[in-house]
Amino acid sequence: MKQSILYIFILVSMGVAQQLIVKTNGEMQKIPVTSHVSGAMYQGAMIIAENRENAPTRYIVELTAPSRIEQKRSKMSFAKTQEVQRLEVKQNILKKIPALFVEREYSTVMNGFSVQTEQKNLQELRSLSGVKNVYRDVAVTASPYSTNTLTPTKISSTTLATGKGIKVGIIDTGIDYMHEALGEGFGSDFKVAGGYDFVNNDNDPMDDNGHGTHVAGIIAGQSATITSYASNAKLYAYKVLNSQGGGNASDVIAAIEKAVNDSVAIINLSLGSTDGDPNDALCTAVNRAVEAGVVVVVAAGNTGDFGTINSPGVAKLALTVGAFDTFGIASFSAKGPVPSIYDIKPDVVAPGVGILSAKNGGGYIEMSGTSMATPYVSGIAAALEEIHPGWSSIQIRDAIISNARDLNVSVFAQGNGKVDENKTFTSTEVVTPAHLTFGFNSPSQTTWIKEDTLLVFNASSTAKKYHFEYPSKNPALTITFSPDEIEIPPMEYGNVIARLTTNNLFLSDNKNFPDGYTGKIFGYGNTDTLSIPFTFFKGNILQLKFSEMPWQVVVHNQKNFSSTITPKTNNVSLVVNQGTYDVITSFYNSYYVVTENMPVSGQTEIPVDKDQAIYNISIIPSNERGDVIDPQNSQGTYHFLEGLVFKPKGFSFVGMSGGELSALSQQVKHFSPMSDKYSYGYSLHIQHNNTTSYTYDVALDSGITSSKTVSFLPTDLHKVEMKYESESPSQKLFPIAWTSFITPTMEVSVTYYNGNDLPLLYPFVQTSYYSNSISTFPIFHSREAYKY
């Protein structure tokens, strides 16, 4: 006992007063917490403290009637009756769902509107006539990455083109248009010629954060300190992010729509959401803007890992930008592939570390991030628009990608490589698409064949010939071309079909998701060589598509394999063997979805929606007198531990939390239906002070098939007097309670101490109340004390 007491004393006294203390497989870690901490999670040897407010119930509704851009693309006229029809559908929705509030309306990049409504109305909203899609209105952010460099990078243009006459829309936190490098004014006679504030709903998009001003300086700043590539461009500021750099997808879509209607040539989006995929609302708006003739340049994101490109950076038609510095790809730069289609993203990388640009309120400041690399490319795009005023948005995009310089790293880290502005401005060839993805090759097929078409644009004044080859070193993989040689007249396109064939009997499966097959197709000309990267993946892929980014995911095959994942986006791709799998998903705010018996072969996509958690388990603690404990009006501390277990093998999700009792939220857990192969256990420990404590245990051991309320009667609580021994009656002793989750493969224990309570008085007795034991579930309790 002496040794244990001393060990706990050292652990607690080294930290701040408030500590969430966790043991994982015998190793201890401590987490400083405040009254605002709402959760902590165990994953491997890592403990992550989390705090997330309940997200507003906001949705983006897309109607079946086409948008203006879709109508124009299909050569349809926009009739008044179609506008009336859209309004009629909206009125019908409002009639059917009265508790629905319309916020933004769209007609150009999307036909629809954003709404607020209760979550319970979602299914009815999706089923109504005239509704095509309902998307969650996800949060978007713009957070520069914190770095310190010895020598900040100054933007200095090397071309005669300056973006003159080009309109660039910056969708961000606004712009400090009074800055010396940004024109010192607002309106048609100034550099910042227009825009709108979607945060405050007014016509003054003044920056109150600084991010948008820094971005604007990189694109079009001009002063004695910086000279950007588009220093003579006209800027349009669309403020969609608040003073903290946060906003919503619904406002970003509204800004994209206004930018298109304002006839901008380029949109810069140095923002993104981890909740997204190539078919989400943000990506849909970006793709349609590109179809309308706008180059949309988007930040890849600062998540760093492979497979974590933000939305709308995953949009097929976006020009997605990662970051590099003199040492290579920046550590924070998000990497591809795009999970659902194995697409190459980012498209290019650009300088993004230690970039010096305009500071909100005057002066200059250094920032880092893909947010800084993106406007670097936008400035180059604006200069290229000036050089080639007749080129389409796709040509501008692919000219930048095609002429990038290979850095000889993974294609999913660099795309085609580092932006090469000099080559981009002088090149007369554009390949579309600038890189190819052939997608997913299922091992179950003996022979796999995929093809795509390459369009080569000759922007020179003379005809050009190209001979296409793929110098394969693997006899099980060939690419042929039809035709294999083309001659392209001046200012015309040449078409080539690239046909990929694999012999899967001799082609190895890929073991890791980012390590698919990659290579380059070459078009050899008399004076130049075209280089087109390609990729595909061979193997069995379990792809999880979550309705929003979850907290933790456990995937297992019900036998001998389990993997615990902490996602950085709402898409997860896992290389697995062919077989049957279960997925345990924990969403924020106590939502748990178990997806059982899913067969996986080749590329298998499994959607997991938070709304599948339809059963509510309410846990109501009460004291020995039967009084319900109200955390908001009670003194003391708490900690809890919970586990969701696949009983046959013990594969588990484990969660925990601790803090001041006033921070304990209502104990309501939300579950999807699950079979009796799963059990859920929960233990809550409340310590009003060092003399009295309560422990409540709950076990649902036969699956979950309905909602339940678990309450406690006075007869459910068993009184236990805990006496702690010490060498001296004058010793200061403080009791602590450990709650543990123990299985053959995992051991997690948690307690909480705030350092404020008075010590126990001799004879060092604490009165404790325990509910009925949950002996069938692997949660256990132990007591210790520490001393000063």
Side-chain angles (χ1 to χ4, degrees):
M1 184 67 180
K2 243 163 127 180
Q3 185 177 7
S4 179
I5 289 173
L6 180 62
Y7 186 66
I8 298 299
F9 162 68
I10 292 172
L11 177 67
V12 174
S13 64
M14 285 175 60
V16 298
Q18 297 183 354
Q19 296 287 338
L20 182 66
I21 306 168
V22 183
K23 276 193 292 192
T24 62
N25 296 329
E27 295 183 1
M28 293 194 181
Q29 299 188 34
K30 59 182 182 297
I31 306 172
V33 298
T34 71
S35 61
H36 300 296
V37 168
S38 61
M41 180 186 68
Y42 163 77
Q43 191 223 343
M46 178 173 61
I47 302 297
I48 305 170
E50 292 288 346
N51 175 31
R52 205 176 247 211
E53 299 295 330
N54 290 327
T57 312
R58 301 169 64 153
Y59 302 98
I60 298 166
V61 179
E62 183 180 16
L63 304 179
T64 53
S67 66
R68 291 177 184 266
I69 290 174
E70 290 176 288
Q71 291 166 359
K72 184 177 180 180
R73 189 182 61 190
S74 302
K75 298 181 179 179
M76 300 165 56
S77 62
F78 188 82
K80 186 68 175 177
T81 54
Q82 290 174 306
E83 176 73 12
V84 171
Q85 182 186 21
R86 186 173 70 88
L87 294 175
E88 287 177 350
V89 172
K90 185 182 77 171
Q91 292 302 320
N92 180 52
I93 292 173
L94 290 171
K95 183 178 179 181
K96 293 286 183 65
I97 308 177
L100 182 144
F101 175 69
V102 175
E103 295 181 313
R104 303 282 182 203
E105 296 200 40
Y106 317 110
S107 61
T108 302
V109 297
M110 181 182 293
N111 187 19
F113 38 82
S114 66
V115 300
Q116 284 199 47
T117 189
E118 295 179 19
Q119 185 174 315
K120 66 181 182 180
N121 295 325
L122 177 59
Q123 294 304 322
E124 183 179 3
L125 182 58
R126 284 174 170 160
S127 66
L128 291 176
S129 175
V131 172
K132 180 179 179 181
N133 288 308
V134 179
Y135 310 93
R136 291 182 184 272
D137 187 6
V138 298
V140 294
T141 58
S143 302
Y145 196 84
S146 177
T147 58
N148 291 308
T149 56
L150 294 175
T151 306
T153 300
K154 292 184 180 181
I155 305 301
S156 181
S157 175
T158 58
T159 180
L160 295 177
T162 60
K164 185 177 181 179
I166 306 302
K167 294 181 177 180
V168 180
I170 300 176
I171 299 177
D172 213 291
T173 63
I175 297 176
D176 178 5
Y177 45 74
M178 298 307 297
H179 195 283
E180 63 165 352
L182 297 171
E184 299 180 308
F186 178 72
S188 58
D189 295 332
F190 294 93
K191 184 187 292 287
V192 184
Y196 189 78
D197 183 343
F198 289 90
V199 175
N200 301 298
N201 294 308
D202 60 46
N203 292 312
D204 183 6
M206 174 57 80
D207 194 355
D208 55 6
N209 171 277
H211 188 272
T213 297
H214 197 270
V215 166
I218 297 172
I219 294 174
Q222 185 175 29
S223 68
T225 303
I226 56 175
T227 304
S228 303
Y229 281 97
S231 55
N232 281 322
K234 289 287 189 180
L235 301 182
Y236 285 72
Y238 304 102
K239 179 175 173 59
V240 297
L241 304 177
N242 59 27
S243 59
Q244 287 76 47
N248 295 296
S250 55
D251 287 343
V252 177
I253 294 170
I256 293 173
E257 178 147 306
K258 180 158 176 53
V260 171
N261 292 335
D262 286 341
S263 300
V264 304
I266 296 159
I267 291 175
N268 187 95
L269 285 165
S270 289
L271 51 74
S273 170
T274 56
D275 293 329
D277 64 65
N279 298 311
D280 68 19
L282 276 172
C283 290
T284 297
V286 164
N287 287 336
R288 290 192 184 143
V290 176
E291 291 167 355
V294 181
V295 181
V296 184
V297 190
V298 185
N302 297 333
T303 45
D305 293 344
F306 284 96
T308 63
I309 302 287
N310 283 187
S311 174
V314 292
K316 185 70 176 176
L317 301 183
L319 173 46
T320 306
V321 185
F324 79 96
D325 61 11
T326 55
F327 302 104
I329 304 299
S331 61
F332 56 77
S333 185
K335 302 170 183 66
V338 178
S340 59
I341 55 178
Y342 214 70
D343 197 9
I344 295 174
K345 291 285 181 176
D347 296 296
V348 293
V349 291
V353 177
I355 307 300
L356 190 70
S357 185
K359 179 182 179 182
N360 212 37
Y364 299 87
I365 190 171
E366 170 190 345
M367 290 186 184
S368 299
T370 56
S371 281
M372 285 62 249
T374 301
Y376 186 97
V377 175
S378 291
I380 291 171
L384 190 60
E385 285 264 12
E386 181 187 352
I387 296 170
H388 299 289
W391 281 16
S392 69
S393 57
I394 297 295
Q395 288 173 313
I396 296 291
R397 182 200 67 178
D398 287 341
I400 293 172
I401 301 173
S402 296
N403 291 294
R405 186 190 310 161
D406 190 349
L407 297 176
N408 296 314
V409 296
S410 168
V411 70
F412 298 124
Q414 69 162 0
N416 282 39
K418 171 188 175 294
V419 167
D420 187 333
E421 49 269 34
N422 293 326
K423 186 179 177 183
T424 297
F425 292 143
T426 58
S427 177
T428 56
E429 301 81 28
V430 180
V431 181
T432 298
H435 42 232
L436 291 172
T437 176
F438 291 106
F440 291 94
N441 176 0
S442 174
S444 63
Q445 300 182 50
T446 303
T447 302
W448 185 63
I449 300 173
K450 287 295 289 289
E451 62 181 38
D452 206 340
T453 300
L454 293 169
L455 303 178
V456 183
F457 179 63
N458 175 16
S460 72
S461 57
T462 59
K464 291 197 171 187
K465 283 186 178 181
Y466 292 99
H467 176 73
F468 286 85
E469 294 182 9
Y470 170 57
S472 176
K473 297 180 181 179
N474 188 336
L477 191 166
T478 61
I479 300 179
T480 57
F481 303 92
S482 178
D484 60 3
E485 188 170 286
I486 56 173
E487 181 172 356
I488 312 171
M491 305 305 292
E492 295 287 345
Y493 278 102
N495 296 1
V496 175
I497 296 174
R499 183 183 178 91
L500 168 70
T501 303
T502 68
N503 184 338
N504 283 349
L505 295 177
F506 299 97
L507 191 70
S508 301
D509 287 3
N510 298 125
K511 302 300 183 184
N512 298 302
F513 189 63
D515 299 335
Y517 287 95
T518 60
K520 286 185 178 180
I521 293 166
F522 294 100
Y524 298 106
N526 292 331
T527 59
D528 60 289
T529 299
L530 307 177
S531 175
I532 305 100
F534 73 86
T535 187
F536 68 91
F537 185 92
K538 179 175 182 280
N540 295 298
I541 292 287
L542 171 58
Q543 294 194 311
L544 302 173
K545 182 178 179 182
F546 303 102
S547 58
E548 61 183 67
M549 189 174 72
W551 185 7
Q552 188 183 35
V553 180
V554 178
V555 177
H556 67 85
N557 69 350
Q558 306 178 357
K559 297 176 183 177
N560 55 7
F561 167 81
S562 175
S563 177
T564 300
I565 306 160
T566 305
K568 289 191 174 182
T569 69
N570 69 337
N571 290 278
V572 167
S573 294
L574 197 64
V575 183
V576 296
N577 293 325
Q578 184 172 326
T580 301
Y581 290 82
D582 284 11
V583 180
I584 305 170
T585 304
S586 168
F587 291 97
Y588 291 90
N589 300 314
S590 298
Y591 283 79
Y592 306 95
V593 175
V594 176
T595 309
E596 301 183 56
N597 302 316
M598 302 304 299
V600 176
S601 178
Q603 181 197 11
T604 303
E605 184 176 286
I606 298 176
V608 181
D609 198 317
K610 180 180 177 181
D611 294 335
Q612 292 171 272
I614 58 176
Y615 298 136
N616 299 329
I617 307 298
S618 300
I619 301 164
I620 304 175
S622 57
N623 61 24
E624 73 277 16
R625 296 180 300 277
D627 302 324
V628 174
I629 294 175
D630 178 9
Q632 303 305 312
N633 296 304
S634 303
Q635 297 296 317
T637 63
Y638 80 95
H639 72 257
F640 75 73
L641 188 147
E642 63 183 339
L644 185 57
V645 182
F646 179 70
K647 292 188 291 184
K649 293 295 180 180
F651 301 135
S652 310
F653 157 81
V654 182
M656 61 196 70
S657 178
E660 296 293 329
L661 190 55
S662 58
L664 177 63
S665 60
Q666 185 182 11
Q667 295 301 286
V668 180
K669 311 289 182 175
H670 313 273
F671 294 91
S672 69
M674 62 187 74
S675 73
D676 59 5
K677 291 182 180 180
Y678 284 90
S679 61
Y680 173 77
Y682 171 86
S683 181
L684 171 66
H685 179 81
I686 293 175
Q687 189 151 302
H688 284 302
N689 48 56
N690 275 333
T691 60
T692 310
S693 71
Y694 300 86
T695 301
Y696 306 90
D697 290 338
V698 176
L700 305 175
D701 205 35
S702 301
I704 296 178
T705 57
S706 64
S707 296
K708 289 179 172 41
T709 297
V710 181
S711 57
F712 299 88
L713 299 173
T715 54
D716 295 325
L717 299 179
H718 304 285
K719 181 179 179 180
V720 180
E721 299 287 347
M722 299 287 182
K723 184 175 182 179
Y724 298 89
E725 294 182 358
S726 177
E727 298 119 343
S728 170
S730 62
Q731 178 68 59
K732 293 182 179 180
L733 288 187
F734 298 83
I736 58 173
W738 288 96
T739 305
S740 303
F741 176 87
I742 302 173
T743 69
T745 59
M746 182 186 299
E747 180 177 339
V748 183
S749 301
V750 64
T751 190
Y752 177 83
Y753 172 66
N754 69 357
N756 297 327
D757 288 338
L758 294 174
L760 287 174
L761 298 176
Y762 186 81
F764 309 128
V765 174
Q766 183 189 54
T767 301
S768 300
Y769 294 90
Y770 284 85
S771 70
N772 294 318
S773 171
I774 55 171
S775 57
T776 58
F777 195 86
I779 284 182
F780 306 92
H781 303 285
S782 59
R783 296 281 181 144
E784 295 182 86
Y786 63 89
K787 64 182 181 178
Y788 283 131

